[in-house]
Amino acid sequence: MSKWNKTLAGMRNNPRDGWTISDLETVARRFNIECRKPGGSHATFSHPDVAEIVTVPMKRPIKPFYVQEFVALVDEIPNPPSDRDHE
């Protein structure tokens, strides 16, 4: 199982596990989710095929609510990459 897949599975199973912005970025790269950090205290995640935009405070650890919102964004992506696809 690849790192992004393990990370996403962990977020699904335990959103309270002390996740960081870099963990979300690992998954975001795999799903072609754009991560913008405009210099403030938040990161914004968006995907061109999904209307929802998720804004996450960059404090560590990320609160479970934001992890769940991020996972919901991932779940909305049509035709997501499979674990068999190469990174």
Side-chain angles (χ1 to χ4, degrees):
M1 188 182 274
S2 59
K3 179 176 175 151
W4 70 267
N5 205 341
K6 288 179 187 176
T7 302
L8 182 57
M11 287 178 184
R12 288 184 196 285
N13 293 330
N14 188 5
R16 299 182 187 277
D17 198 23
W19 301 105
T20 64
I21 291 294
S22 66
D23 295 322
L24 272 62
E25 288 175 321
T26 297
V27 176
R29 278 190 296 276
R30 184 67 178 132
F31 286 86
N32 296 319
I33 295 172
E34 181 183 356
C35 175
R36 290 185 309 269
K37 296 185 238 178
S41 60
H42 291 70
T44 303
F45 295 91
S46 63
H47 189 278
D49 297 331
V50 179
E52 302 299 322
I53 295 173
V54 177
T55 301
V56 181
M58 293 199 301
K59 289 183 179 178
R60 285 186 267 170
I62 298 171
K63 291 185 179 182
F65 170 78
Y66 296 108
V67 174
Q68 292 168 334
E69 279 194 337
F70 177 79
V71 170
L73 172 68
V74 170
D75 290 342
E76 289 292 319
I77 297 172
N79 303 316
S82 71
D83 192 29
R84 294 177 190 229
D85 293 340
H86 297 282
E87 291 191 355

